[in-house]
Amino acid sequence: MTAPIHHITHPLVQHKLTLMRQKDCSTNSFRLLMGEISMLMAYEVTRDMPMQLIDIETPLEAMKSPVIDGKKTVFVSIMRAGGGFLDGMLTVVPGARIGHVGLYRDPKTLVAVEYYFKMPSDMHERDAIVLDPMLATGNSAVAAVDRLKETKPRSIRFVCLLAAPEGLKTLRQAHPDVPIYTAAIDRELNDHGYILPGLGDAGDRLFGTK
Ligand code: URA
């Protein structure tokens, strides 16, 4: 069975995304909004996280109460724009570990080329949440998940801010078992692999490099 695409339509997420899309949104505002949206998206992405009961004492009596084991979660940031999601996600799941995948898009072929890969140990015990704000061609997402699967995590989810139909199709064809969480599904890609209407280059807008 193919895993679902979760379109996160919460008004707070949609409102903030509209602010981010606008070309006159400053680098600082873009970064702050990305942090806020990632906290809100973390709420959806972690909705069915495994929980365990622990023994606690309230001021009145002992009880068993549920906790999540944040240490079992690994946020996998696809560099460099994935880093924009990290602070917000970590605010909500502070015990999570972090992995990094470094990929760049060959500007001519749009194929993803890996230059960095570092994950925590014991991946087979962890639930991986892959972060990349833009699911455009899907080539980077597929390459990152291909590589991540070699470490045999317990589960994999993919989170983006914007998805192009082409990227959704490519990722789902290659990895039908990976659920996708996105705040928007945009119209199409242009000839340079940018999402339309999109928000431009997420890395440049986050880090002020253009
Ligand atoms: N990466 C970006 O940052 N923006 C796009 O529109 C597509 C890929």
Side-chain angles (χ1 to χ4, degrees):
M1 207 182 66
T2 308
I5 296 173
H6 300 268
H7 185 182
I8 301 175
T9 56
H10 193 289
L12 284 171
V13 172
Q14 294 302 317
H15 178 91
K16 290 176 195 298
L17 178 56
T18 297
L19 300 179
M20 290 177 80
R21 283 185 190 269
Q22 294 176 52
K23 63 181 180 192
D24 52 4
C25 177
S26 69
T27 301
N28 187 36
S29 302
F30 190 90
R31 203 181 294 131
L32 290 172
L33 287 161
M34 180 87 117
E36 291 168 10
I37 287 193
S38 47
M39 274 192 265
L40 296 165
M41 290 183 77
Y43 185 80
E44 291 295 334
V45 176
T46 58
R47 183 177 284 282
D48 58 354
M49 247 182 177
M51 310 209 58
Q52 64 185 60
L53 292 176
I54 59 166
D55 294 306
I56 62 164
E57 286 188 27
T58 77
L60 299 177
E61 63 178 31
M63 70 176 288
K64 287 192 183 297
S65 197
V67 287
I68 56 172
D69 188 352
K71 288 198 180 63
K72 298 280 186 219
T73 302
V74 52
F75 292 124
V76 177
S77 167
I78 302 186
M79 287 150 67
R80 65 187 163 138
F85 268 143
L86 277 179
D87 279 356
M89 296 266 169
L90 284 169
T91 304
V92 183
V93 190
R97 303 298 165 94
I98 318 283
H100 284 95
V101 185
L103 296 165
Y104 69 87
R105 275 203 305 183
D106 184 297
K108 287 209 178 73
T109 62
L110 303 183
V111 167
V113 184
E114 183 184 308
Y115 62 89
Y116 189 77
F117 186 83
K118 185 89 183 167
M119 294 298 136
S121 58
D122 302 331
M123 285 294 283
H124 59 280
E125 292 177 1
R126 302 185 193 282
D127 298 303
I129 301 178
V130 182
L131 309 174
D132 188 355
M134 310 300 272
L135 179 58
T137 61
N139 294 339
S140 304
V142 169
V145 175
D146 280 347
R147 200 58 180 83
L148 189 57
K149 279 187 173 173
E150 290 174 18
T151 69
K152 300 199 180 344
R154 193 161 63 174
S155 68
I156 302 179
R157 288 154 209 234
F158 186 90
V159 185
C160 59
L161 207 48
L162 300 190
E166 296 90 331
L168 286 173
K169 190 167 164 221
T170 300
L171 181 55
R172 277 160 76 76
Q173 261 170 8
H175 296 293
D177 54 316
V178 173
I180 301 169
Y181 295 77
T182 184
I185 301 173
D186 275 13
R187 192 179 70 244
E188 62 185 347
L189 293 181
N190 71 10
D191 292 342
H192 304 285
Y194 280 91
I195 298 175
L196 297 175
L199 51 71
D201 186 301
D204 281 339
R205 297 204 61 191
L206 260 174
F207 300 115
T209 43
K210 207 159 212 170

